[in-house]
Amino acid sequence: MAYKILSFDGGGSWAVLQLLTLLERYGNLKGHQVLQQYDCVVANSGGSIVLTALCENWSIKESIELFKEKALREKIFSKNKFKERFFPVDYLRYFKLNLGPKYSSKRKREAFEELFPNCNKRRLYEIPDFIGNKNLKIIICAYDALNNKAVLFKSYKNEEYFDDVTLVQAIHASSNAPIQYFDFPARFKAKNSEIFYELWDGALGGFNNPAAVGVNEAIQNEISPSEIHLVSLGTGNIVTSMDSKSKYYQAKDKTIQNRHRKLIPRKIKAQLSYFSKSVMQQAKTILYQPPDWSNEIASTMIFGPQKNYDKSRFIRLSPLIYYNSRVPITSKELIEALINLDMDLTTETDINLLFHCFKEWANDSLYNQPITYRIKREGEIIPKTGTLLFSEAMNEWVKEDTRN
């Protein structure tokens, strides 16, 4: 008997790619019709917003409007007014240093309460019955800022001190990206455990890709690994191109040569470039968190240390934003534009780029992210498990659903 897990990565507005993938797979089903086909759903950040739209029983096309419609996007990403901004980091923007939070956490919560009334008035443990799948296990990932630990909000009780929260409270925490995005932690009290939480995005706990969380929970609930079937939907993974690597090395070399020449303005440019390409990029991994580790751990838990991978039981669908001389791309310009996108997309132009990304990915003109892979020195990507083609992964998903 198959135990089916559906996993949604975080990724802000890029989560619309998950809904477009669901539309490709299921057509315009209602959210409850989709969720009734699974035993466990695990989500983080933008993926938790997708999950909540499905729990609210929006159709897949209605859920896409949450990201496509400008007014709805801006309710979630509500920019702070001047008097609400932090001092002094906000003023660094005048020097073209984009640091500090831009959006109101409070208004994000209010937007979720308005957008998802059914999920706001129900406790998380009540949602499976509302969906019509009483045995469905829902897991939402977050990060406890006060205690410096990951938190998993669950729709089922497996501990004495059960954190009783609403689904809207859980996704408000899970989607609360810090530093560059939202201004304050999500604060609320869990009803049963009486714990007052101060919470950030689950990516800070290491769960931007929560696939391994879902598999771990299944095994803890005494599901045999041989019964687990996992579909993991990502929001895109950027791999540095050979051109970008070359520019990085150039900036690094110039920085090593000139780092002591602080008073010569023309010598500082390369150092700023290196800082941007290196230090800031590494800082972003706190949130973007390369998703490969979770895929590999999930694969090992399902298939064992010998990794006898069965492609029908672990399907990964996420675009790999990357190009080299061997990538069958139709537009290098598209990939370069995607690489420069942040996760808090609010303009029509940026959202249209994501729809273009999905079209090229679904046509196999952009790579799909394999479950595990290596990158050769010259930039060639070699899959170990999984596939580089969207069409192949989608066909496996269809076949697997047909069998089960």
Side-chain angles (χ1 to χ4, degrees):
M1 184 69 179
Y3 184 87
K4 298 173 67 176
I5 301 172
L6 180 61
S7 175
F8 293 105
D9 285 17
S13 301
W14 289 69
V16 71
L17 296 170
Q18 297 169 333
L19 287 164
L20 292 168
T21 304
L22 289 174
L23 184 66
E24 181 82 6
R25 171 65 193 90
Y26 293 117
N28 193 31
L29 288 185
K30 288 282 194 176
H32 289 187
Q33 292 175 290
V34 174
L35 297 175
Q36 285 166 5
Q37 301 183 48
Y38 292 89
D39 300 288
C40 175
V41 184
V42 57
N44 183 64
S45 196
S48 74
I49 301 173
V50 168
L51 171 58
T52 306
L54 299 177
C55 289
E56 194 71 18
N57 206 27
W58 294 6
S59 72
I60 294 175
K61 286 186 177 179
E62 287 172 331
S63 302
I64 289 170
E65 289 300 312
L66 186 62
F67 298 91
K68 191 175 181 181
E69 178 60 43
K70 185 174 186 287
L72 295 179
R73 293 197 305 270
E74 292 184 348
K75 279 188 175 182
I76 297 172
F77 292 104
S78 177
K79 288 189 176 180
N80 283 326
K81 301 178 178 62
F82 179 79
K83 65 180 181 180
E84 298 172 313
R85 298 174 187 166
F86 285 6
F87 177 86
V89 292
D90 188 70
Y91 291 88
L92 294 174
R93 297 180 195 278
Y94 292 112
F95 301 96
K96 297 184 179 180
L97 292 174
N98 188 24
L99 298 173
K102 295 175 279 188
Y103 305 109
S104 167
S105 176
K106 176 177 179 290
R107 289 195 290 277
K108 173 166 67 74
R109 186 203 73 221
E110 292 170 347
F112 287 156
E113 291 171 350
E114 177 186 342
L115 289 166
F116 307 126
N118 287 304
C119 294
N120 186 46
K121 70 183 180 183
R122 287 177 169 83
R123 316 306 295 179
L124 183 52
Y125 71 83
E126 296 175 317
I127 297 295
D129 275 338
F130 174 59
I131 291 169
N133 184 3
K134 67 178 183 178
N135 294 319
L136 177 67
K137 290 178 168 52
I138 298 173
I139 308 165
I140 306 294
C141 305
Y143 171 77
D144 180 352
L146 294 180
N147 294 305
N148 192 29
K149 66 185 294 291
V151 175
L152 302 177
F153 293 110
K154 304 173 186 178
S155 64
Y156 52 100
K157 304 178 182 181
N158 63 352
E159 297 176 354
E160 181 181 355
Y161 297 103
F162 175 67
D163 285 321
D164 183 0
V165 301
T166 68
L167 179 52
V168 163
Q169 285 176 319
I171 69 159
H172 175 42
S174 184
S175 63
N176 209 42
I179 306 171
Q180 293 289 84
Y181 305 101
F182 293 98
D183 49 7
F184 294 104
R187 177 175 171 79
F188 54 80
K189 183 176 77 169
K191 187 176 179 181
N192 186 61
S193 62
E194 297 294 311
I195 294 175
F196 278 96
Y197 278 115
E198 299 267 341
L199 297 160
W200 292 111
D201 191 306
L204 274 71
F207 298 141
N208 201 51
N209 174 348
V213 173
V215 175
N216 183 64
E217 286 292 313
I219 292 172
Q220 286 193 6
N221 284 285
E222 301 182 348
I223 303 298
S224 169
S226 64
E227 297 175 1
I228 294 174
H229 295 244
L230 171 63
V231 175
S232 173
L233 302 184
T235 56
N237 188 33
I238 295 174
V239 177
T240 305
S241 70
M242 297 302 291
D243 288 348
S244 296
K245 289 177 183 177
S246 177
K247 291 175 183 177
Y248 165 82
Y249 288 129
Q250 290 172 14
K252 177 185 173 184
D253 288 344
K254 288 182 179 179
T255 298
I256 291 171
Q257 294 169 20
N258 299 311
R259 59 183 169 173
H260 301 300
R261 302 177 185 182
K262 302 291 192 296
L263 301 179
I264 306 176
R266 63 187 174 84
K267 299 294 185 181
I268 296 175
K269 184 177 179 181
Q271 296 176 55
L272 289 173
S273 176
Y274 174 69
F275 178 82
S276 174
K277 296 179 188 300
S278 180
V279 179
M280 290 300 293
Q281 182 62 33
Q282 303 315 311
K284 283 184 177 181
T285 63
I286 297 171
L287 282 177
Y288 291 109
Q289 182 212 348
D292 312 272
W293 79 269
S294 184
N295 294 336
E296 185 150 5
I297 291 173
S299 182
T300 300
M301 286 193 290
I302 294 172
F303 303 114
Q306 300 304 314
K307 297 181 181 177
N308 297 314
Y309 170 65
D310 178 350
K311 62 183 178 180
S312 69
R313 290 207 293 124
F314 185 177
I315 296 159
R316 173 69 173 175
L317 278 159
S318 185
L320 199 62
I321 312 302
Y322 175 72
Y323 66 85
N324 65 12
S325 60
R326 302 190 182 194
V327 177
I329 62 171
T330 57
S331 174
K332 178 179 177 181
E333 290 74 22
L334 169 64
I335 294 181
E336 290 176 334
L338 291 169
I339 287 172
N340 290 320
L341 290 185
D342 209 332
M343 69 180 195
D344 56 328
L345 309 181
T346 55
T347 70
E348 294 295 324
T349 300
D350 290 344
I351 294 297
N352 287 338
L353 276 173
L354 293 183
F355 278 80
H356 190 186
C357 171
F358 178 80
K359 180 181 177 181
E360 297 301 309
W361 175 42
N363 288 335
D364 294 337
S365 295
L366 292 181
Y367 278 157
N368 181 62
Q369 182 199 10
I371 294 167
T372 58
Y373 60 95
R374 66 187 182 92
I375 303 175
K376 296 178 69 174
R377 181 177 175 82
E378 63 272 20
E380 183 182 359
I381 294 178
I382 309 296
K384 295 181 180 178
T385 56
T387 175
L388 281 169
L389 298 179
F390 176 98
S391 60
E392 185 176 332
M394 182 61 70
N395 288 339
E396 287 299 327
W397 191 0
V398 172
K399 286 194 296 185
E400 182 63 13
D401 279 352
T402 302
R403 282 194 290 263
N404 295 288

